[in-house]
PDB file of all heavy atoms in Angstrom:
ATOM      1  N   PHE Y  32     -16.990  -2.343  14.025  1.00 98.00           N
ATOM      2  CA  PHE Y  32     -17.968  -1.398  13.476  1.00 98.00           C
ATOM      3  C   PHE Y  32     -18.900  -2.098  12.491  1.00 98.00           C
ATOM      4  O   PHE Y  32     -20.113  -1.940  12.544  1.00 98.00           O
ATOM      5  CB  PHE Y  32     -17.283  -0.199  12.789  1.00 98.00           C
ATOM      6  CG  PHE Y  32     -18.304   0.795  12.316  1.00 98.00           C
ATOM      7  CD1 PHE Y  32     -18.845   1.720  13.187  1.00 98.00           C
ATOM      8  CD2 PHE Y  32     -18.787   0.760  11.011  1.00 98.00           C
ATOM      9  CE1 PHE Y  32     -19.847   2.599  12.775  1.00 98.00           C
ATOM     10  CE2 PHE Y  32     -19.776   1.633  10.588  1.00 98.00           C
ATOM     11  CZ  PHE Y  32     -20.301   2.558  11.476  1.00 98.00           C
ATOM     12  N   ASN Y 184     -15.344   6.626   7.130  1.00 97.00           N
ATOM     13  CA  ASN Y 184     -15.627   8.033   7.446  1.00 97.00           C
ATOM     14  C   ASN Y 184     -14.799   9.006   6.617  1.00 97.00           C
ATOM     15  O   ASN Y 184     -13.905   9.669   7.125  1.00 97.00           O
ATOM     16  CB  ASN Y 184     -15.320   8.301   8.920  1.00 97.00           C
ATOM     17  CG  ASN Y 184     -16.384   7.742   9.827  1.00 97.00           C
ATOM     18  OD1 ASN Y 184     -17.574   7.821   9.537  1.00 97.00           O
ATOM     19  ND2 ASN Y 184     -15.954   7.162  10.944  1.00 97.00           N
ATOM     20  N   VAL Y 223     -22.102   6.491   7.349  1.00 98.00           N
ATOM     21  CA  VAL Y 223     -22.445   5.494   8.366  1.00 98.00           C
ATOM     22  C   VAL Y 223     -22.301   6.125   9.742  1.00 98.00           C
ATOM     23  O   VAL Y 223     -21.446   6.978   9.948  1.00 98.00           O
ATOM     24  CB  VAL Y 223     -21.498   4.281   8.282  1.00 98.00           C
ATOM     25  CG1 VAL Y 223     -21.722   3.482   7.027  1.00 98.00           C
ATOM     26  CG2 VAL Y 223     -20.044   4.700   8.385  1.00 98.00           C
ATOM     27  N   ASP Y 224     -23.137   5.700  10.673  1.00 98.00           N
ATOM     28  CA  ASP Y 224     -23.014   6.253  12.017  1.00 98.00           C
ATOM     29  C   ASP Y 224     -23.472   5.258  13.074  1.00 98.00           C
ATOM     30  O   ASP Y 224     -24.606   4.776  13.037  1.00 98.00           O
ATOM     31  CB  ASP Y 224     -23.835   7.553  12.122  1.00 98.00           C
ATOM     32  CG  ASP Y 224     -23.526   8.324  13.398  1.00 98.00           C
ATOM     33  OD1 ASP Y 224     -22.619   7.893  14.144  1.00 98.00           O
ATOM     34  OD2 ASP Y 224     -24.183   9.356  13.653  1.00 98.00           O
ATOM     35  N   CYS Y 225     -22.577   4.968  13.997  1.00 98.00           N
ATOM     36  CA  CYS Y 225     -22.875   4.180  15.195  1.00 98.00           C
ATOM     37  C   CYS Y 225     -21.596   4.237  16.027  1.00 98.00           C
ATOM     38  O   CYS Y 225     -20.504   4.012  15.497  1.00 98.00           O
ATOM     39  CB  CYS Y 225     -23.186   2.722  14.841  1.00 98.00           C
ATOM     40  SG  CYS Y 225     -23.544   1.699  16.285  1.00 98.00           S
ATOM     41  N   ILE Y 226     -21.708   4.562  17.285  1.00 98.00           N
ATOM     42  CA  ILE Y 226     -20.500   4.628  18.124  1.00 98.00           C
ATOM     43  C   ILE Y 226     -20.237   3.232  18.701  1.00 98.00           C
ATOM     44  O   ILE Y 226     -21.094   2.651  19.386  1.00 98.00           O
ATOM     45  CB  ILE Y 226     -20.649   5.690  19.226  1.00 98.00           C
ATOM     46  CG1 ILE Y 226     -20.775   7.076  18.568  1.00 98.00           C
ATOM     47  CG2 ILE Y 226     -19.457   5.640  20.180  1.00 98.00           C
ATOM     48  CD1 ILE Y 226     -21.015   8.218  19.532  1.00 98.00           C
ATOM     49  N   VAL Y 227     -19.042   2.707  18.378  1.00 98.00           N
ATOM     50  CA  VAL Y 227     -18.704   1.329  18.769  1.00 98.00           C
ATOM     51  C   VAL Y 227     -17.379   1.337  19.533  1.00 98.00           C
ATOM     52  O   VAL Y 227     -16.307   1.364  18.938  1.00 98.00           O
ATOM     53  CB  VAL Y 227     -18.575   0.428  17.518  1.00 98.00           C
ATOM     54  CG1 VAL Y 227     -18.405  -1.035  17.940  1.00 98.00           C
ATOM     55  CG2 VAL Y 227     -19.766   0.583  16.589  1.00 98.00           C
ATOM     56  N   LYS Y 290     -22.021  15.040   9.198  1.00 98.00           N
ATOM     57  CA  LYS Y 290     -21.607  14.066  10.219  1.00 98.00           C
ATOM     58  C   LYS Y 290     -20.102  14.121  10.457  1.00 98.00           C
ATOM     59  O   LYS Y 290     -19.641  14.120  11.594  1.00 98.00           O
ATOM     60  CB  LYS Y 290     -22.056  12.672   9.777  1.00 98.00           C
ATOM     61  CG  LYS Y 290     -21.879  11.618  10.850  1.00 98.00           C
ATOM     62  CD  LYS Y 290     -20.874  10.577  10.480  1.00 98.00           C
ATOM     63  CE  LYS Y 290     -20.509   9.702  11.642  1.00 98.00           C
ATOM     64  NZ  LYS Y 290     -19.487   8.717  11.320  1.00 98.00           N
ATOM     65  N   LEU Y 294     -19.973  15.494  14.079  1.00 98.00           N
ATOM     66  CA  LEU Y 294     -19.746  14.360  14.991  1.00 98.00           C
ATOM     67  C   LEU Y 294     -18.258  14.015  15.060  1.00 98.00           C
ATOM     68  O   LEU Y 294     -17.617  14.137  16.103  1.00 98.00           O
ATOM     69  CB  LEU Y 294     -20.553  13.135  14.557  1.00 98.00           C
ATOM     70  CG  LEU Y 294     -20.544  11.955  15.548  1.00 98.00           C
ATOM     71  CD1 LEU Y 294     -21.732  11.041  15.316  1.00 98.00           C
ATOM     72  CD2 LEU Y 294     -19.282  11.124  15.564  1.00 98.00           C
ATOM     73  N   ASN Y 295     -17.681  13.609  13.933  1.00 98.00           N
ATOM     74  CA  ASN Y 295     -16.300  13.123  13.976  1.00 98.00           C
ATOM     75  C   ASN Y 295     -15.317  14.235  14.322  1.00 98.00           C
ATOM     76  O   ASN Y 295     -14.344  14.004  15.060  1.00 98.00           O
ATOM     77  CB  ASN Y 295     -15.924  12.447  12.651  1.00 98.00           C
ATOM     78  CG  ASN Y 295     -16.787  11.230  12.352  1.00 98.00           C
ATOM     79  OD1 ASN Y 295     -17.628  11.265  11.464  1.00 98.00           O
ATOM     80  ND2 ASN Y 295     -16.611  10.165  13.103  1.00 98.00           N
ATOM     81  N   HIS Y 298     -15.504  14.617  17.921  1.00 98.00           N
ATOM     82  CA  HIS Y 298     -14.859  13.467  18.553  1.00 98.00           C
ATOM     83  C   HIS Y 298     -13.349  13.669  18.625  1.00 98.00           C
ATOM     84  O   HIS Y 298     -12.727  13.446  19.659  1.00 98.00           O
ATOM     85  CB  HIS Y 298     -15.128  12.211  17.716  1.00 98.00           C
ATOM     86  CG  HIS Y 298     -16.087  11.267  18.344  1.00 98.00           C
ATOM     87  ND1 HIS Y 298     -16.572  10.167  17.692  1.00 98.00           N
ATOM     88  CD2 HIS Y 298     -16.634  11.232  19.583  1.00 98.00           C
ATOM     89  CE1 HIS Y 298     -17.382   9.508  18.490  1.00 98.00           C
ATOM     90  NE2 HIS Y 298     -17.447  10.134  19.634  1.00 98.00           N
ATOM     91  N   SER Y 299     -12.750  14.073  17.498  1.00 98.00           N
ATOM     92  CA  SER Y 299     -11.293  14.249  17.481  1.00 98.00           C
ATOM     93  C   SER Y 299     -10.887  15.370  18.438  1.00 98.00           C
ATOM     94  O   SER Y 299      -9.894  15.257  19.161  1.00 98.00           O
ATOM     95  CB  SER Y 299     -10.809  14.550  16.051  1.00 98.00           C
ATOM     96  OG  SER Y 299     -10.986  13.404  15.247  1.00 98.00           O
ATOM     97  N   ARG Y 355     -25.619  11.819  22.892  1.00 97.00           N
ATOM     98  CA  ARG Y 355     -24.954  10.533  22.630  1.00 97.00           C
ATOM     99  C   ARG Y 355     -23.561  10.514  23.273  1.00 97.00           C
ATOM    100  O   ARG Y 355     -23.141   9.499  23.812  1.00 97.00           O
ATOM    101  CB  ARG Y 355     -24.859  10.308  21.114  1.00 97.00           C
ATOM    102  CG  ARG Y 355     -26.208  10.016  20.477  1.00 97.00           C
ATOM    103  CD  ARG Y 355     -26.139  10.090  18.952  1.00 97.00           C
ATOM    104  NE  ARG Y 355     -25.239   9.113  18.381  1.00 97.00           N
ATOM    105  CZ  ARG Y 355     -24.799   9.157  17.117  1.00 97.00           C
ATOM    106  NH1 ARG Y 355     -25.187  10.129  16.300  1.00 97.00           N
ATOM    107  NH2 ARG Y 355     -23.973   8.238  16.670  1.00 97.00           N
ATOM    108  N   HIS Y 363     -16.314   4.735  25.630  1.00 97.00           N
ATOM    109  CA  HIS Y 363     -15.636   5.075  24.371  1.00 97.00           C
ATOM    110  C   HIS Y 363     -14.364   5.849  24.689  1.00 97.00           C
ATOM    111  O   HIS Y 363     -14.407   7.010  25.097  1.00 97.00           O
ATOM    112  CB  HIS Y 363     -16.586   5.919  23.501  1.00 97.00           C
ATOM    113  CG  HIS Y 363     -16.188   5.940  22.054  1.00 97.00           C
ATOM    114  ND1 HIS Y 363     -16.646   6.887  21.179  1.00 97.00           N
ATOM    115  CD2 HIS Y 363     -15.374   5.134  21.345  1.00 97.00           C
ATOM    116  CE1 HIS Y 363     -16.125   6.651  19.982  1.00 97.00           C
ATOM    117  NE2 HIS Y 363     -15.358   5.606  20.063  1.00 97.00           N
ATOM    118  N   GLN Y 367      -8.808   5.650  21.705  1.00 98.00           N
ATOM    119  CA  GLN Y 367      -9.278   4.935  20.508  1.00 98.00           C
ATOM    120  C   GLN Y 367      -9.534   5.923  19.366  1.00 98.00           C
ATOM    121  O   GLN Y 367      -9.125   5.707  18.227  1.00 98.00           O
ATOM    122  CB  GLN Y 367     -10.569   4.161  20.848  1.00 98.00           C
ATOM    123  CG  GLN Y 367     -11.144   3.397  19.653  1.00 98.00           C
ATOM    124  CD  GLN Y 367     -12.514   2.750  19.954  1.00 98.00           C
ATOM    125  OE1 GLN Y 367     -12.948   2.659  21.089  1.00 98.00           O
ATOM    126  NE2 GLN Y 367     -13.184   2.304  18.908  1.00 98.00           N
ATOM    127  N   ILE Y 368     -10.198   7.019  19.676  1.00 98.00           N
ATOM    128  CA  ILE Y 368     -10.536   8.001  18.633  1.00 98.00           C
ATOM    129  C   ILE Y 368      -9.277   8.741  18.168  1.00 98.00           C
ATOM    130  O   ILE Y 368      -9.172   9.149  17.009  1.00 98.00           O
ATOM    131  CB  ILE Y 368     -11.586   8.995  19.165  1.00 98.00           C
ATOM    132  CG1 ILE Y 368     -12.835   8.243  19.617  1.00 98.00           C
ATOM    133  CG2 ILE Y 368     -11.946  10.043  18.117  1.00 98.00           C
ATOM    134  CD1 ILE Y 368     -13.802   9.081  20.413  1.00 98.00           C
ATOM    135  N   LYS Y 375      -7.458  11.467   9.571  1.00 97.00           N
ATOM    136  CA  LYS Y 375      -8.790  11.970   9.930  1.00 97.00           C
ATOM    137  C   LYS Y 375      -8.886  13.502   9.907  1.00 97.00           C
ATOM    138  O   LYS Y 375      -9.941  14.064   9.646  1.00 97.00           O
ATOM    139  CB  LYS Y 375      -9.158  11.488  11.341  1.00 97.00           C
ATOM    140  CG  LYS Y 375      -9.303   9.975  11.468  1.00 97.00           C
ATOM    141  CD  LYS Y 375      -9.512   9.552  12.924  1.00 97.00           C
ATOM    142  CE  LYS Y 375      -9.758   8.056  13.049  1.00 97.00           C
ATOM    143  NZ  LYS Y 375      -9.816   7.605  14.454  1.00 97.00           N
ATOM    144  N   ARG Y 379     -12.008  16.367   8.986  1.00 98.00           N
ATOM    145  CA  ARG Y 379     -12.707  16.731  10.225  1.00 98.00           C
ATOM    146  C   ARG Y 379     -12.430  18.160  10.669  1.00 98.00           C
ATOM    147  O   ARG Y 379     -13.308  18.848  11.168  1.00 98.00           O
ATOM    148  CB  ARG Y 379     -12.309  15.762  11.349  1.00 98.00           C
ATOM    149  CG  ARG Y 379     -12.701  14.330  11.058  1.00 98.00           C
ATOM    150  CD  ARG Y 379     -12.346  13.406  12.208  1.00 98.00           C
ATOM    151  NE  ARG Y 379     -12.715  12.031  11.874  1.00 98.00           N
ATOM    152  CZ  ARG Y 379     -12.862  11.065  12.759  1.00 98.00           C
ATOM    153  NH1 ARG Y 379     -12.676  11.314  14.036  1.00 98.00           N
ATOM    154  NH2 ARG Y 379     -13.192   9.848  12.382  1.00 98.00           N
TER     155      ARG Y 379
HETATM  156  C1  LIG T 601     -14.670   8.052  15.759  1.00 51.01           C
HETATM  157  C2  LIG T 601     -15.637   7.246  14.898  1.00 51.01           C
HETATM  158  O1  LIG T 601     -12.793   6.706  16.134  1.00 51.01           O
HETATM  159  C3  LIG T 601     -13.229   7.680  15.535  1.00 51.01           C
HETATM  160  O2  LIG T 601     -12.536   8.347  14.797  1.00 51.01           O
HETATM  161  O3  LIG T 601     -14.873   9.405  15.525  1.00 51.01           O
HETATM  162  O4  LIG T 601     -15.324   5.896  14.896  1.00 51.01           O
HETATM  163  C4  LIG T 601     -17.095   7.457  15.353  1.00 51.01           C
HETATM  164  O5  LIG T 601     -17.323   6.870  16.601  1.00 51.01           O
HETATM  165  C5  LIG T 601     -18.058   6.891  14.345  1.00 51.01           C
HETATM  166  O6  LIG T 601     -17.809   7.446  13.088  1.00 51.01           O
HETATM  167  C6  LIG T 601     -19.482   7.173  14.766  1.00 51.01           C
HETATM  168  O7  LIG T 601     -20.334   6.880  13.722  1.00 51.01           O
END
Side-chain angles (χ1 to χ4, degrees):
F32 184 82
N184 284 320
V223 291
D224 192 5
C225 179
I226 296 176
V227 187
K290 189 245 169 183
L294 188 159
N295 298 108
H298 252 172
S299 292
R355 289 168 62 194
H363 199 198
Q367 179 186 347
I368 302 168
K375 296 174 176 174
R379 298 182 181 198

